[in-house]
C-alpha cells in the first residue's frame, strides 16, 4: 500500500500512488473512524487509496485547479466556504455529528436543565473558531444563555480558545470543551496522578438530540459521473461504519486507521486511549445528503449568525441527490 502526501495548494503526489487510483482523504480523529470499515477491508487491487491526514492539511486536497481528492471528509463549514457552489465537488452526506465534551476538576454536571450554571464560568474551548466552538455558541444562543469572548462577568459564560495541551485540572479554566478521544485521555491521565478530572457535559445533547452536522463527505463531480460504482461502494462502507465500530475490536480499529496514516503523522488513536465508550461518543453516523441537507442548511445559517465568515450559504447543486 502506498501513502500519498501533499503540499498545501499542490497537486503533486508523493509515495508513488498510481494516478488512476481513486483518492480518498480524511483527517485523523472521528472522521477517520467513519472510514474504519472501508480501511479494514482495503485491498491492494481495489483501485481505491485511503489516506488519513492531519486536520490542518485536509482542505489542501480539495483546493486548487486540480484537487487531489476524489472523495474527502472535512468540516462542514470549510466545505461550504470552499466548495459550496457545487462546481467541482458535491456533498454526498455527513459522516460525524459532534464529539465534543465538557471536562472539569469540579464534578458538577451541566445539562440543558442547569445550563445557566455556566454563567460566570471561564470555559476553555478547543477549536473555538471552528465547528466545535461555533456549535457551542449556537447551543448557548438556542438555550438563552449569554456568553462573552472578551471579558469575564457573572452574567455570561466566558469563552476563550485553548490548545489540547492546555487542558488540565490545574489550568485557568473552570470548564473545558474538548473532543474525544482527548477528553477521556485527559481524564484518565490526570486522575491516575491523583488530580481528579471529570466529564461533566455533552455538547451534542445541548445542541440537540442528534448532535450537529460536523464532518461532510464530498465527492468530485467528475468522479460521481465516471465512477458511480466506486462511489456507491464508498458510501455503503460509510453507512456500515456505525455497525462495524460497535462489533470490531479496538485493536482492529486502531490497526486499520494507523495503517493508512500519511507518512510522518502520529495518529490520534491507540489501544491506550480508544475504548468502546470513546467510539460511541465520537458520534459516527452516515447520513445521505437527501436526508440531512435541511439540517446542514440551517446549521450553516446559524454559524454565519454567530461568526459571519465562518460558513457560507451553499447552492442547491452542492448537494448530491441520488437519482
Amino acid at each position: 500500500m502506498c501513502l500519498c502526501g501533499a503540499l498545501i495548494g499542490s497537486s503533486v503526489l508523493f509515495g508513488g500512488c498510481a494516478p488512476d487510483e481513486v483518492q480518498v482523504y480524511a483527517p485523523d480523529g472521528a472522521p477517520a473512524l467513519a472510514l474504519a470499515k472501508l480501511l479494514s477491508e482495503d485491498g491492494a487491487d481495489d483501485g481505491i487509496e485511503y489516506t488519513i491526514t492531519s486536520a490542518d492539511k485536509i482542505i489542501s486536497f480539495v483546493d486548487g485547479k486540480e484537487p487531489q481528492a476524489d472523495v474527502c471528509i472535512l468540516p462542514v463549514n470549510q466545505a461550504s466556504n470552499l466548495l459550496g457552489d457545487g462546481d467541482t465537488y458535491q456533498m454526498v452526506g455527513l459522516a460525524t455529528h459532534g464529539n465534543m465534551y465538557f471536562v472539569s476538576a469540579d464534578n458538577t454536571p451541566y445539562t440543558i436543565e442547569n445550563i445557566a450554571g455556566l454563567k460566570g464560568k471561564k470555559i476553555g474551548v478547543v477549536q473555538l473558531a471552528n465547528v466545535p466552538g461555533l456549535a457551542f455558541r449556537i447551543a448557548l444562543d438556542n438555550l438563552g444563555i449569554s456568553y462573552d469572548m472578551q471579558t469575564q462577568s457573572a452574567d455570561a459564560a466566558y469563552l476563550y480558545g485553548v490548545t489540547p495541551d492546555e487542558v488540565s485540572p490545574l489550568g485557568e479554566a473552570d470548564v473545558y470543551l474538548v473532543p474525544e478521544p482527548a477528553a477521556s485521555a485527559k481524564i484518565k491521565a490526570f486522575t491516575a496522578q491523583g488530580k481528579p478530572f471529570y466529564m461533566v457535559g455533552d455538547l451534542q445533547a445541548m445542541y440537540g438530540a442528534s448532535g450537529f452536522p460536523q464532518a461532510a463527505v464530498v465527492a468530485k463531480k467528475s468522479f460521481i459521473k465516471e465512477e458511480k460504482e466506486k462511489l456507491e461502494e464508498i458510501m455503503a462502507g460509510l453507512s456500515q461504519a456505525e455497525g462495524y465500530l460497535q462489533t470490531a475490536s479496538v485493536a482492529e480499529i486502531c490497526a486499520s486507521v494507523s495503517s493508512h496514516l500519511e507518512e510522518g503523522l502520529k495518529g490520534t488513536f491507540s489501544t491506550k486511549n480508544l475504548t468502546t465508550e470513546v467510539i460511541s461518543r465520537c458520534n459516527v453516523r452516515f447520513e445521505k445528503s437527501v436526508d440531512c441537507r435541511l439540517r446542514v442548511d440551517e446549521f450553516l445559517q446559524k454559524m454565519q449568525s454567530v461568526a459571519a465568515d465562518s460558513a457560507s450559504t451553499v447552492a442547491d447543486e452542492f448537494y448530491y441527490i441520488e437519482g
Side-chain angles (χ1 to χ4, degrees), residues 67-84:
Q68 289 174 246
D70 294 297
V71 178
C72 187
I73 303 178
L74 73 166
V76 68
N77 66 323
Q78 292 182 344
S80 74
N81 283 333
L82 289 170
L83 314 172

Side-chain angles (χ1 to χ4, degrees), residues 66-261:
E66 297 182 5
Q68 289 174 246
D70 294 297
V71 178
C72 187
I73 303 178
L74 73 166
V76 68
N77 66 323
Q78 292 182 344
S80 74
N81 283 333
L82 289 170
L83 314 172
D85 55 14
D87 288 347
T88 306
Y89 286 89
Q90 290 181 296
M91 186 184 115
V92 301
L94 288 173
T96 66
H97 303 262
N99 63 327
M100 302 299 295
Y101 295 84
F102 297 93
V103 298
S104 175
D106 179 359
N107 196 18
T108 300
Y110 294 98
T111 64
I112 290 176
E113 288 71 27
N114 70 341
I115 189 70
L118 289 177
K119 290 182 179 180
K121 300 294 185 183
K122 189 173 183 179
I123 306 171
V125 181
V126 176
Q127 299 187 47
L128 177 62
N130 298 318
V131 170
L134 295 166
F136 184 30
R137 293 166 66 184
I138 293 168
L140 291 174
D141 281 342
N142 288 344
L143 295 169
I145 303 300
S146 299
Y147 63 86
D148 197 307
M149 298 170 62
Q150 302 298 324
T151 57
Q152 188 173 6
S153 71
D155 299 323
Y158 174 60
L159 315 185
Y160 73 106
V162 296
T163 67
D165 288 344
E166 293 175 298
V167 176
S168 165
L170 306 178
E172 296 181 357
D174 299 302
V175 182
Y176 293 94
L177 181 60
V178 190
E180 282 285 31
S184 291
K186 290 280 186 179
I187 291 169
K188 181 179 179 180
F190 281 111
T191 301
Q193 297 171 23
K195 303 166 186 174
F197 216 19
Y198 305 97
M199 186 170 289
V200 295
D202 178 341
L203 176 59
Q204 293 65 233
M206 288 183 183
Y207 187 91
S210 60
F212 52 86
Q214 184 180 32
V217 184
V218 300
K220 196 178 288 183
K221 289 179 73 174
S222 59
F223 171 68
I224 294 172
K225 181 179 180 181
E226 298 164 9
E227 299 279 6
K228 189 71 173 293
E229 288 187 4
K230 286 186 177 177
L231 173 65
E232 291 175 351
E233 177 184 339
I234 292 168
M235 291 177 68
L238 289 165
S239 297
Q240 295 161 13
E242 184 179 8
Y244 168 79
L245 291 169
Q246 292 171 354
T247 57
S249 70
V250 168
E252 179 184 352
I253 294 167
C254 289
S256 297
V257 173
S258 64
S259 66
H260 291 80
L261 291 173

